[in-house]
Amino acid sequence: MPAALIAISVTSAAWASCSPIDDPEALADLERFKTLVTDGEFGTAMLPFEISQSAKTQLVGGLEAVAPNGFEDCTTIKRVRQSDHFISEIFMTEADGKVLYWAISGQIRRGSFRMINFNYSDRFEDFRELMY
């Protein structure tokens, strides 16, 4: 599965069903994104992304091919606040024994999360160096 790299902005406030990390504090917009992805609501998760409709369609199609009904499990692995204005997370999802690793980085702007980098892969090696 190829990795996807996009820029997005997520602006709704809800909390995820993804196993959390308490410190540093989570952002509601980022947690909402993880909930939508876990629940298989890929199209809704992609709506606020600042990318072309064709890129959204391609991302949704790729995720639906891997997990048409969403994911059974979501675990936040690492969260780092580089500053008051930037945050990064690594989380993993699983469906039918297939694991996807996700790296997300973005700007914190006026209380909202604006996606700068979004990458996912089924290859742990792609994320190993980001975890340590």
Side-chain angles (χ1 to χ4, degrees), residues 4-10 27 30 33 78-82 85-91 102-108 113-119 127 130:
L5 189 63
I6 62 173
I8 66 169
S9 173
V10 181
L27 290 177
L30 186 50
F33 172 77
K78 183 176 184 177
R79 178 180 303 127
V80 176
R81 281 198 183 232
Q82 287 82 0
H85 307 287
F86 203 83
I87 190 168
S88 299
E89 276 199 16
I90 298 172
F91 69 99
W102 305 71
I104 298 176
S105 296
Q107 179 185 26
I108 303 166
F113 179 72
R114 179 175 179 245
M115 191 72 69
I116 302 298
N117 184 358
F118 164 46
N119 186 331
F127 295 88
L130 299 174

PDB file of all heavy atoms in Angstrom, residues 4-10 27 30 33 78-82 85-91 102-108 113-119 127 130:
ATOM      1  N   ALA A   4       0.277   7.889   1.863  1.00  0.00           N
ATOM      2  CA  ALA A   4      -0.428   9.084   1.384  1.00  0.00           C
ATOM      3  C   ALA A   4       0.096  10.283   2.146  1.00  0.00           C
ATOM      4  O   ALA A   4       0.268  10.229   3.354  1.00  0.00           O
ATOM      5  CB  ALA A   4      -1.921   8.927   1.598  1.00  0.00           C
ATOM      6  N   LEU A   5       0.327  11.378   1.445  1.00  0.00           N
ATOM      7  CA  LEU A   5       0.831  12.590   2.067  1.00  0.00           C
ATOM      8  C   LEU A   5      -0.027  13.741   1.594  1.00  0.00           C
ATOM      9  O   LEU A   5      -0.121  13.998   0.412  1.00  0.00           O
ATOM     10  CB  LEU A   5       2.281  12.801   1.646  1.00  0.00           C
ATOM     11  CG  LEU A   5       3.059  13.895   2.338  1.00  0.00           C
ATOM     12  CD1 LEU A   5       3.184  13.596   3.830  1.00  0.00           C
ATOM     13  CD2 LEU A   5       4.447  13.983   1.727  1.00  0.00           C
ATOM     14  N   ILE A   6      -0.726  14.412   2.544  1.00  0.00           N
ATOM     15  CA  ILE A   6      -1.642  15.475   2.158  1.00  0.00           C
ATOM     16  C   ILE A   6      -1.650  16.589   3.175  1.00  0.00           C
ATOM     17  O   ILE A   6      -1.165  16.429   4.284  1.00  0.00           O
ATOM     18  CB  ILE A   6      -3.069  14.937   2.003  1.00  0.00           C
ATOM     19  CG1 ILE A   6      -3.563  14.378   3.328  1.00  0.00           C
ATOM     20  CG2 ILE A   6      -3.167  13.922   0.910  1.00  0.00           C
ATOM     21  CD1 ILE A   6      -4.990  13.976   3.315  1.00  0.00           C
ATOM     22  N   ALA A   7      -2.210  17.711   2.822  1.00  0.00           N
ATOM     23  CA  ALA A   7      -2.425  18.831   3.745  1.00  0.00           C
ATOM     24  C   ALA A   7      -3.915  18.981   3.957  1.00  0.00           C
ATOM     25  O   ALA A   7      -4.684  18.948   3.015  1.00  0.00           O
ATOM     26  CB  ALA A   7      -1.856  20.119   3.158  1.00  0.00           C
ATOM     27  N   ILE A   8      -4.347  19.132   5.239  1.00  0.00           N
ATOM     28  CA  ILE A   8      -5.765  19.248   5.537  1.00  0.00           C
ATOM     29  C   ILE A   8      -6.006  20.216   6.671  1.00  0.00           C
ATOM     30  O   ILE A   8      -5.091  20.612   7.365  1.00  0.00           O
ATOM     31  CB  ILE A   8      -6.376  17.884   5.927  1.00  0.00           C
ATOM     32  CG1 ILE A   8      -5.787  17.389   7.231  1.00  0.00           C
ATOM     33  CG2 ILE A   8      -6.238  16.877   4.837  1.00  0.00           C
ATOM     34  CD1 ILE A   8      -6.499  16.223   7.809  1.00  0.00           C
ATOM     35  N   SER A   9      -7.259  20.527   6.885  1.00  0.00           N
ATOM     36  CA  SER A   9      -7.688  21.302   8.041  1.00  0.00           C
ATOM     37  C   SER A   9      -8.920  20.630   8.612  1.00  0.00           C
ATOM     38  O   SER A   9      -9.902  20.452   7.915  1.00  0.00           O
ATOM     39  CB  SER A   9      -8.017  22.740   7.626  1.00  0.00           C
ATOM     40  OG  SER A   9      -8.570  23.426   8.711  1.00  0.00           O
ATOM     41  N   VAL A  10      -8.872  20.241   9.880  1.00  0.00           N
ATOM     42  CA  VAL A  10      -9.992  19.581  10.534  1.00  0.00           C
ATOM     43  C   VAL A  10     -10.514  20.547  11.587  1.00  0.00           C
ATOM     44  O   VAL A  10      -9.753  21.015  12.417  1.00  0.00           O
ATOM     45  CB  VAL A  10      -9.535  18.260  11.193  1.00  0.00           C
ATOM     46  CG1 VAL A  10     -10.687  17.555  11.848  1.00  0.00           C
ATOM     47  CG2 VAL A  10      -8.875  17.351  10.163  1.00  0.00           C
ATOM     48  N   LEU A  27      -5.978  17.205  21.109  1.00  0.00           N
ATOM     49  CA  LEU A  27      -6.771  18.238  20.441  1.00  0.00           C
ATOM     50  C   LEU A  27      -8.063  17.619  19.923  1.00  0.00           C
ATOM     51  O   LEU A  27      -8.046  16.560  19.290  1.00  0.00           O
ATOM     52  CB  LEU A  27      -6.012  18.823  19.253  1.00  0.00           C
ATOM     53  CG  LEU A  27      -4.808  19.680  19.572  1.00  0.00           C
ATOM     54  CD1 LEU A  27      -4.123  20.114  18.290  1.00  0.00           C
ATOM     55  CD2 LEU A  27      -5.227  20.898  20.375  1.00  0.00           C
ATOM     56  N   LEU A  30      -8.227  16.744  16.099  1.00  0.00           N
ATOM     57  CA  LEU A  30      -7.421  15.581  15.735  1.00  0.00           C
ATOM     58  C   LEU A  30      -8.078  14.295  16.227  1.00  0.00           C
ATOM     59  O   LEU A  30      -8.107  13.288  15.524  1.00  0.00           O
ATOM     60  CB  LEU A  30      -6.013  15.743  16.296  1.00  0.00           C
ATOM     61  CG  LEU A  30      -4.971  14.709  15.908  1.00  0.00           C
ATOM     62  CD1 LEU A  30      -4.922  14.472  14.407  1.00  0.00           C
ATOM     63  CD2 LEU A  30      -3.608  15.143  16.418  1.00  0.00           C
ATOM     64  N   PHE A  33     -10.917  13.410  13.859  1.00  0.00           N
ATOM     65  CA  PHE A  33     -10.404  12.768  12.654  1.00  0.00           C
ATOM     66  C   PHE A  33     -10.169  11.277  12.893  1.00  0.00           C
ATOM     67  O   PHE A  33     -10.592  10.436  12.106  1.00  0.00           O
ATOM     68  CB  PHE A  33      -9.105  13.445  12.189  1.00  0.00           C
ATOM     69  CG  PHE A  33      -8.420  12.712  11.078  1.00  0.00           C
ATOM     70  CD1 PHE A  33      -8.888  12.804   9.775  1.00  0.00           C
ATOM     71  CD2 PHE A  33      -7.322  11.911  11.333  1.00  0.00           C
ATOM     72  CE1 PHE A  33      -8.272  12.119   8.739  1.00  0.00           C
ATOM     73  CE2 PHE A  33      -6.693  11.222  10.310  1.00  0.00           C
ATOM     74  CZ  PHE A  33      -7.167  11.325   9.008  1.00  0.00           C
ATOM     75  N   LYS A  78       2.094   7.917  20.031  1.00  0.00           N
ATOM     76  CA  LYS A  78       2.967   9.011  20.475  1.00  0.00           C
ATOM     77  C   LYS A  78       2.343  10.342  20.069  1.00  0.00           C
ATOM     78  O   LYS A  78       1.783  10.473  18.992  1.00  0.00           O
ATOM     79  CB  LYS A  78       4.335   8.871  19.809  1.00  0.00           C
ATOM     80  CG  LYS A  78       5.355   9.895  20.242  1.00  0.00           C
ATOM     81  CD  LYS A  78       6.702   9.600  19.584  1.00  0.00           C
ATOM     82  CE  LYS A  78       7.764  10.575  20.083  1.00  0.00           C
ATOM     83  NZ  LYS A  78       9.072  10.257  19.500  1.00  0.00           N
ATOM     84  N   ARG A  79       2.432  11.319  20.967  1.00  0.00           N
ATOM     85  CA  ARG A  79       1.986  12.682  20.679  1.00  0.00           C
ATOM     86  C   ARG A  79       3.083  13.630  21.159  1.00  0.00           C
ATOM     87  O   ARG A  79       3.540  13.516  22.297  1.00  0.00           O
ATOM     88  CB  ARG A  79       0.683  12.992  21.409  1.00  0.00           C
ATOM     89  CG  ARG A  79       0.185  14.414  21.184  1.00  0.00           C
ATOM     90  CD  ARG A  79      -1.114  14.711  21.930  1.00  0.00           C
ATOM     91  NE  ARG A  79      -2.154  13.770  21.562  1.00  0.00           N
ATOM     92  CZ  ARG A  79      -2.862  13.042  22.436  1.00  0.00           C
ATOM     93  NH1 ARG A  79      -2.644  13.165  23.735  1.00  0.00           N
ATOM     94  NH2 ARG A  79      -3.786  12.216  22.015  1.00  0.00           N
ATOM     95  N   VAL A  80       3.470  14.538  20.293  1.00  0.00           N
ATOM     96  CA  VAL A  80       4.515  15.497  20.631  1.00  0.00           C
ATOM     97  C   VAL A  80       4.041  16.887  20.268  1.00  0.00           C
ATOM     98  O   VAL A  80       3.590  17.120  19.146  1.00  0.00           O
ATOM     99  CB  VAL A  80       5.834  15.188  19.870  1.00  0.00           C
ATOM    100  CG1 VAL A  80       6.884  16.240  20.165  1.00  0.00           C
ATOM    101  CG2 VAL A  80       6.343  13.801  20.201  1.00  0.00           C
ATOM    102  N   ARG A  81       4.125  17.790  21.228  1.00  0.00           N
ATOM    103  CA  ARG A  81       3.863  19.212  20.950  1.00  0.00           C
ATOM    104  C   ARG A  81       5.216  19.878  20.758  1.00  0.00           C
ATOM    105  O   ARG A  81       5.954  20.079  21.717  1.00  0.00           O
ATOM    106  CB  ARG A  81       3.106  19.868  22.088  1.00  0.00           C
ATOM    107  CG  ARG A  81       1.641  19.551  22.054  1.00  0.00           C
ATOM    108  CD  ARG A  81       0.910  20.566  22.915  1.00  0.00           C
ATOM    109  NE  ARG A  81      -0.495  20.231  22.946  1.00  0.00           N
ATOM    110  CZ  ARG A  81      -1.447  21.089  22.660  1.00  0.00           C
ATOM    111  NH1 ARG A  81      -1.135  22.325  22.342  1.00  0.00           N
ATOM    112  NH2 ARG A  81      -2.699  20.731  22.703  1.00  0.00           N
ATOM    113  N   GLN A  82       5.511  20.217  19.509  1.00  0.00           N
ATOM    114  CA  GLN A  82       6.766  20.867  19.221  1.00  0.00           C
ATOM    115  C   GLN A  82       6.768  22.302  19.752  1.00  0.00           C
ATOM    116  O   GLN A  82       7.828  22.833  20.086  1.00  0.00           O
ATOM    117  CB  GLN A  82       7.044  20.879  17.713  1.00  0.00           C
ATOM    118  CG  GLN A  82       7.420  19.523  17.161  1.00  0.00           C
ATOM    119  CD  GLN A  82       6.224  18.624  16.854  1.00  0.00           C
ATOM    120  OE1 GLN A  82       5.069  18.978  17.048  1.00  0.00           O
ATOM    121  NE2 GLN A  82       6.501  17.413  16.379  1.00  0.00           N
ATOM    122  N   HIS A  85       2.112  26.009  18.982  1.00  0.00           N
ATOM    123  CA  HIS A  85       1.484  26.189  17.677  1.00  0.00           C
ATOM    124  C   HIS A  85       1.621  24.990  16.747  1.00  0.00           C
ATOM    125  O   HIS A  85       1.199  25.057  15.592  1.00  0.00           O
ATOM    126  CB  HIS A  85       2.067  27.428  16.990  1.00  0.00           C
ATOM    127  CG  HIS A  85       1.994  28.643  17.848  1.00  0.00           C
ATOM    128  ND1 HIS A  85       0.807  29.300  18.104  1.00  0.00           N
ATOM    129  CD2 HIS A  85       2.947  29.293  18.549  1.00  0.00           C
ATOM    130  CE1 HIS A  85       1.038  30.312  18.915  1.00  0.00           C
ATOM    131  NE2 HIS A  85       2.321  30.332  19.201  1.00  0.00           N
ATOM    132  N   PHE A  86       2.206  23.868  17.211  1.00  0.00           N
ATOM    133  CA  PHE A  86       2.422  22.722  16.331  1.00  0.00           C
ATOM    134  C   PHE A  86       2.383  21.433  17.142  1.00  0.00           C
ATOM    135  O   PHE A  86       2.903  21.374  18.255  1.00  0.00           O
ATOM    136  CB  PHE A  86       3.780  22.847  15.623  1.00  0.00           C
ATOM    137  CG  PHE A  86       3.851  22.071  14.342  1.00  0.00           C
ATOM    138  CD1 PHE A  86       3.359  22.609  13.160  1.00  0.00           C
ATOM    139  CD2 PHE A  86       4.403  20.804  14.309  1.00  0.00           C
ATOM    140  CE1 PHE A  86       3.428  21.892  11.961  1.00  0.00           C
ATOM    141  CE2 PHE A  86       4.465  20.082  13.120  1.00  0.00           C
ATOM    142  CZ  PHE A  86       3.982  20.633  11.943  1.00  0.00           C
ATOM    143  N   ILE A  87       1.762  20.402  16.566  1.00  0.00           N
ATOM    144  CA  ILE A  87       1.630  19.106  17.239  1.00  0.00           C
ATOM    145  C   ILE A  87       1.787  17.982  16.222  1.00  0.00           C
ATOM    146  O   ILE A  87       1.440  18.138  15.050  1.00  0.00           O
ATOM    147  CB  ILE A  87       0.262  18.990  17.966  1.00  0.00           C
ATOM    148  CG1 ILE A  87       0.208  17.755  18.855  1.00  0.00           C
ATOM    149  CG2 ILE A  87      -0.882  19.039  16.973  1.00  0.00           C
ATOM    150  CD1 ILE A  87      -0.977  17.735  19.817  1.00  0.00           C
ATOM    151  N   SER A  88       2.311  16.849  16.659  1.00  0.00           N
ATOM    152  CA  SER A  88       2.447  15.656  15.830  1.00  0.00           C
ATOM    153  C   SER A  88       1.960  14.439  16.603  1.00  0.00           C
ATOM    154  O   SER A  88       2.111  14.376  17.823  1.00  0.00           O
ATOM    155  CB  SER A  88       3.910  15.423  15.434  1.00  0.00           C
ATOM    156  OG  SER A  88       4.412  16.493  14.689  1.00  0.00           O
ATOM    157  N   GLU A  89       1.388  13.482  15.872  1.00  0.00           N
ATOM    158  CA  GLU A  89       0.949  12.226  16.482  1.00  0.00           C
ATOM    159  C   GLU A  89       1.294  11.056  15.587  1.00  0.00           C
ATOM    160  O   GLU A  89       1.345  11.185  14.366  1.00  0.00           O
ATOM    161  CB  GLU A  89      -0.570  12.207  16.680  1.00  0.00           C
ATOM    162  CG  GLU A  89      -1.023  12.877  17.917  1.00  0.00           C
ATOM    163  CD  GLU A  89      -2.436  12.469  18.321  1.00  0.00           C
ATOM    164  OE1 GLU A  89      -2.980  11.452  17.837  1.00  0.00           O
ATOM    165  OE2 GLU A  89      -2.988  13.182  19.148  1.00  0.00           O
ATOM    166  N   ILE A  90       1.505   9.922  16.240  1.00  0.00           N
ATOM    167  CA  ILE A  90       1.578   8.635  15.559  1.00  0.00           C
ATOM    168  C   ILE A  90       0.504   7.771  16.193  1.00  0.00           C
ATOM    169  O   ILE A  90       0.397   7.707  17.422  1.00  0.00           O
ATOM    170  CB  ILE A  90       2.951   7.973  15.734  1.00  0.00           C
ATOM    171  CG1 ILE A  90       4.044   8.843  15.113  1.00  0.00           C
ATOM    172  CG2 ILE A  90       2.954   6.583  15.101  1.00  0.00           C
ATOM    173  CD1 ILE A  90       5.440   8.364  15.398  1.00  0.00           C
ATOM    174  N   PHE A  91      -0.335   7.158  15.366  1.00  0.00           N
ATOM    175  CA  PHE A  91      -1.319   6.207  15.882  1.00  0.00           C
ATOM    176  C   PHE A  91      -1.408   5.026  14.933  1.00  0.00           C
ATOM    177  O   PHE A  91      -0.871   5.054  13.832  1.00  0.00           O
ATOM    178  CB  PHE A  91      -2.675   6.862  16.141  1.00  0.00           C
ATOM    179  CG  PHE A  91      -3.450   7.298  14.926  1.00  0.00           C
ATOM    180  CD1 PHE A  91      -4.476   6.514  14.416  1.00  0.00           C
ATOM    181  CD2 PHE A  91      -3.197   8.520  14.319  1.00  0.00           C
ATOM    182  CE1 PHE A  91      -5.217   6.923  13.317  1.00  0.00           C
ATOM    183  CE2 PHE A  91      -3.931   8.945  13.237  1.00  0.00           C
ATOM    184  CZ  PHE A  91      -4.944   8.149  12.726  1.00  0.00           C
ATOM    185  N   TRP A 102      -0.051   5.551  11.208  1.00  0.00           N
ATOM    186  CA  TRP A 102      -0.378   6.908  10.746  1.00  0.00           C
ATOM    187  C   TRP A 102       0.534   7.908  11.428  1.00  0.00           C
ATOM    188  O   TRP A 102       0.768   7.816  12.632  1.00  0.00           O
ATOM    189  CB  TRP A 102      -1.807   7.264  11.130  1.00  0.00           C
ATOM    190  CG  TRP A 102      -2.871   6.328  10.672  1.00  0.00           C
ATOM    191  CD1 TRP A 102      -3.118   5.056  11.138  1.00  0.00           C
ATOM    192  CD2 TRP A 102      -3.862   6.582   9.689  1.00  0.00           C
ATOM    193  NE1 TRP A 102      -4.196   4.520  10.494  1.00  0.00           N
ATOM    194  CE2 TRP A 102      -4.677   5.438   9.597  1.00  0.00           C
ATOM    195  CE3 TRP A 102      -4.148   7.680   8.871  1.00  0.00           C
ATOM    196  CZ2 TRP A 102      -5.750   5.356   8.735  1.00  0.00           C
ATOM    197  CZ3 TRP A 102      -5.219   7.604   8.005  1.00  0.00           C
ATOM    198  CH2 TRP A 102      -6.015   6.451   7.938  1.00  0.00           C
ATOM    199  N   ALA A 103       1.018   8.900  10.694  1.00  0.00           N
ATOM    200  CA  ALA A 103       1.743  10.039  11.250  1.00  0.00           C
ATOM    201  C   ALA A 103       1.010  11.294  10.802  1.00  0.00           C
ATOM    202  O   ALA A 103       0.711  11.455   9.619  1.00  0.00           O
ATOM    203  CB  ALA A 103       3.188  10.062  10.756  1.00  0.00           C
ATOM    204  N   ILE A 104       0.690  12.143  11.756  1.00  0.00           N
ATOM    205  CA  ILE A 104      -0.060  13.365  11.479  1.00  0.00           C
ATOM    206  C   ILE A 104       0.641  14.519  12.186  1.00  0.00           C
ATOM    207  O   ILE A 104       0.986  14.411  13.364  1.00  0.00           O
ATOM    208  CB  ILE A 104      -1.507  13.245  11.993  1.00  0.00           C
ATOM    209  CG1 ILE A 104      -2.225  12.118  11.287  1.00  0.00           C
ATOM    210  CG2 ILE A 104      -2.246  14.554  11.830  1.00  0.00           C
ATOM    211  CD1 ILE A 104      -3.613  11.860  11.798  1.00  0.00           C
ATOM    212  N   SER A 105       0.846  15.600  11.461  1.00  0.00           N
ATOM    213  CA  SER A 105       1.433  16.813  12.041  1.00  0.00           C
ATOM    214  C   SER A 105       0.620  18.011  11.584  1.00  0.00           C
ATOM    215  O   SER A 105       0.128  18.029  10.453  1.00  0.00           O
ATOM    216  CB  SER A 105       2.881  16.998  11.582  1.00  0.00           C
ATOM    217  OG  SER A 105       3.686  15.948  12.043  1.00  0.00           O
ATOM    218  N   GLY A 106       0.494  18.994  12.468  1.00  0.00           N
ATOM    219  CA  GLY A 106      -0.256  20.165  12.059  1.00  0.00           C
ATOM    220  C   GLY A 106      -0.113  21.349  12.974  1.00  0.00           C
ATOM    221  O   GLY A 106       0.451  21.276  14.067  1.00  0.00           O
ATOM    222  N   GLN A 107      -0.666  22.420  12.495  1.00  0.00           N
ATOM    223  CA  GLN A 107      -0.640  23.709  13.164  1.00  0.00           C
ATOM    224  C   GLN A 107      -1.841  23.839  14.096  1.00  0.00           C
ATOM    225  O   GLN A 107      -2.944  23.423  13.753  1.00  0.00           O
ATOM    226  CB  GLN A 107      -0.684  24.810  12.099  1.00  0.00           C
ATOM    227  CG  GLN A 107      -0.692  26.204  12.628  1.00  0.00           C
ATOM    228  CD  GLN A 107      -0.853  27.218  11.506  1.00  0.00           C
ATOM    229  OE1 GLN A 107      -1.411  26.930  10.467  1.00  0.00           O
ATOM    230  NE2 GLN A 107      -0.359  28.418  11.741  1.00  0.00           N
ATOM    231  N   ILE A 108      -1.610  24.405  15.252  1.00  0.00           N
ATOM    232  CA  ILE A 108      -2.692  24.750  16.165  1.00  0.00           C
ATOM    233  C   ILE A 108      -2.923  26.243  15.965  1.00  0.00           C
ATOM    234  O   ILE A 108      -2.048  27.058  16.236  1.00  0.00           O
ATOM    235  CB  ILE A 108      -2.320  24.444  17.628  1.00  0.00           C
ATOM    236  CG1 ILE A 108      -1.940  22.979  17.778  1.00  0.00           C
ATOM    237  CG2 ILE A 108      -3.466  24.830  18.558  1.00  0.00           C
ATOM    238  CD1 ILE A 108      -1.248  22.650  19.078  1.00  0.00           C
ATOM    239  N   PHE A 113      -7.187  22.700  14.747  1.00  0.00           N
ATOM    240  CA  PHE A 113      -6.060  21.953  14.193  1.00  0.00           C
ATOM    241  C   PHE A 113      -6.086  22.055  12.680  1.00  0.00           C
ATOM    242  O   PHE A 113      -7.095  21.770  12.048  1.00  0.00           O
ATOM    243  CB  PHE A 113      -6.152  20.486  14.622  1.00  0.00           C
ATOM    244  CG  PHE A 113      -5.053  19.625  14.085  1.00  0.00           C
ATOM    245  CD1 PHE A 113      -3.767  19.744  14.591  1.00  0.00           C
ATOM    246  CD2 PHE A 113      -5.302  18.700  13.099  1.00  0.00           C
ATOM    247  CE1 PHE A 113      -2.745  18.946  14.101  1.00  0.00           C
ATOM    248  CE2 PHE A 113      -4.284  17.890  12.612  1.00  0.00           C
ATOM    249  CZ  PHE A 113      -3.009  18.019  13.121  1.00  0.00           C
ATOM    250  N   ARG A 114      -4.967  22.459  12.092  1.00  0.00           N
ATOM    251  CA  ARG A 114      -4.826  22.538  10.640  1.00  0.00           C
ATOM    252  C   ARG A 114      -3.754  21.555  10.210  1.00  0.00           C
ATOM    253  O   ARG A 114      -2.587  21.701  10.547  1.00  0.00           O
ATOM    254  CB  ARG A 114      -4.423  23.943  10.219  1.00  0.00           C
ATOM    255  CG  ARG A 114      -4.235  24.067   8.726  1.00  0.00           C
ATOM    256  CD  ARG A 114      -3.951  25.516   8.343  1.00  0.00           C
ATOM    257  NE  ARG A 114      -3.757  25.610   6.931  1.00  0.00           N
ATOM    258  CZ  ARG A 114      -2.605  25.951   6.362  1.00  0.00           C
ATOM    259  NH1 ARG A 114      -1.565  26.255   7.113  1.00  0.00           N
ATOM    260  NH2 ARG A 114      -2.503  26.011   5.059  1.00  0.00           N
ATOM    261  N   MET A 115      -4.176  20.514   9.473  1.00  0.00           N
ATOM    262  CA  MET A 115      -3.256  19.458   9.073  1.00  0.00           C
ATOM    263  C   MET A 115      -2.196  19.986   8.123  1.00  0.00           C
ATOM    264  O   MET A 115      -2.503  20.670   7.153  1.00  0.00           O
ATOM    265  CB  MET A 115      -4.034  18.337   8.398  1.00  0.00           C
ATOM    266  CG  MET A 115      -3.225  17.087   8.189  1.00  0.00           C
ATOM    267  SD  MET A 115      -2.909  16.203   9.713  1.00  0.00           S
ATOM    268  CE  MET A 115      -4.544  15.634  10.107  1.00  0.00           C
ATOM    269  N   ILE A 116      -0.945  19.658   8.401  1.00  0.00           N
ATOM    270  CA  ILE A 116       0.180  20.020   7.549  1.00  0.00           C
ATOM    271  C   ILE A 116       0.711  18.764   6.850  1.00  0.00           C
ATOM    272  O   ILE A 116       1.068  18.798   5.684  1.00  0.00           O
ATOM    273  CB  ILE A 116       1.317  20.673   8.374  1.00  0.00           C
ATOM    274  CG1 ILE A 116       0.816  21.908   9.110  1.00  0.00           C
ATOM    275  CG2 ILE A 116       2.519  20.982   7.494  1.00  0.00           C
ATOM    276  CD1 ILE A 116       0.313  23.026   8.219  1.00  0.00           C
ATOM    277  N   ASN A 117       0.765  17.655   7.562  1.00  0.00           N
ATOM    278  CA  ASN A 117       1.320  16.422   7.019  1.00  0.00           C
ATOM    279  C   ASN A 117       0.481  15.243   7.487  1.00  0.00           C
ATOM    280  O   ASN A 117       0.153  15.139   8.663  1.00  0.00           O
ATOM    281  CB  ASN A 117       2.767  16.260   7.494  1.00  0.00           C
ATOM    282  CG  ASN A 117       3.462  15.059   6.901  1.00  0.00           C
ATOM    283  OD1 ASN A 117       2.889  14.285   6.155  1.00  0.00           O
ATOM    284  ND2 ASN A 117       4.715  14.900   7.259  1.00  0.00           N
ATOM    285  N   PHE A 118       0.144  14.348   6.571  1.00  0.00           N
ATOM    286  CA  PHE A 118      -0.671  13.170   6.870  1.00  0.00           C
ATOM    287  C   PHE A 118      -0.080  12.026   6.066  1.00  0.00           C
ATOM    288  O   PHE A 118       0.032  12.117   4.849  1.00  0.00           O
ATOM    289  CB  PHE A 118      -2.111  13.465   6.459  1.00  0.00           C
ATOM    290  CG  PHE A 118      -3.027  12.281   6.332  1.00  0.00           C
ATOM    291  CD1 PHE A 118      -3.084  11.296   7.290  1.00  0.00           C
ATOM    292  CD2 PHE A 118      -3.874  12.184   5.246  1.00  0.00           C
ATOM    293  CE1 PHE A 118      -3.957  10.232   7.170  1.00  0.00           C
ATOM    294  CE2 PHE A 118      -4.747  11.126   5.109  1.00  0.00           C
ATOM    295  CZ  PHE A 118      -4.781  10.153   6.083  1.00  0.00           C
ATOM    296  N   ASN A 119       0.340  10.972   6.742  1.00  0.00           N
ATOM    297  CA  ASN A 119       1.005   9.865   6.085  1.00  0.00           C
ATOM    298  C   ASN A 119       0.541   8.575   6.739  1.00  0.00           C
ATOM    299  O   ASN A 119       0.473   8.499   7.962  1.00  0.00           O
ATOM    300  CB  ASN A 119       2.518  10.067   6.275  1.00  0.00           C
ATOM    301  CG  ASN A 119       3.367   9.090   5.538  1.00  0.00           C
ATOM    302  OD1 ASN A 119       2.977   7.969   5.292  1.00  0.00           O
ATOM    303  ND2 ASN A 119       4.565   9.528   5.206  1.00  0.00           N
ATOM    304  N   PHE A 127       7.763   4.069  10.063  1.00  0.00           N
ATOM    305  CA  PHE A 127       7.477   4.903  11.222  1.00  0.00           C
ATOM    306  C   PHE A 127       8.417   4.671  12.393  1.00  0.00           C
ATOM    307  O   PHE A 127       8.393   5.433  13.355  1.00  0.00           O
ATOM    308  CB  PHE A 127       6.033   4.700  11.666  1.00  0.00           C
ATOM    309  CG  PHE A 127       5.052   5.165  10.631  1.00  0.00           C
ATOM    310  CD1 PHE A 127       4.623   4.318   9.638  1.00  0.00           C
ATOM    311  CD2 PHE A 127       4.615   6.468  10.636  1.00  0.00           C
ATOM    312  CE1 PHE A 127       3.762   4.758   8.660  1.00  0.00           C
ATOM    313  CE2 PHE A 127       3.744   6.920   9.658  1.00  0.00           C
ATOM    314  CZ  PHE A 127       3.323   6.062   8.667  1.00  0.00           C
ATOM    315  N   LEU A 130      10.402   7.564  13.760  1.00  0.00           N
ATOM    316  CA  LEU A 130       9.588   8.636  14.320  1.00  0.00           C
ATOM    317  C   LEU A 130       9.155   8.344  15.754  1.00  0.00           C
ATOM    318  O   LEU A 130       8.775   9.255  16.483  1.00  0.00           O
ATOM    319  CB  LEU A 130       8.340   8.846  13.468  1.00  0.00           C
ATOM    320  CG  LEU A 130       8.556   9.256  12.017  1.00  0.00           C
ATOM    321  CD1 LEU A 130       7.224   9.283  11.271  1.00  0.00           C
ATOM    322  CD2 LEU A 130       9.257  10.595  11.929  1.00  0.00           C
TER     323      LEU A 130
END
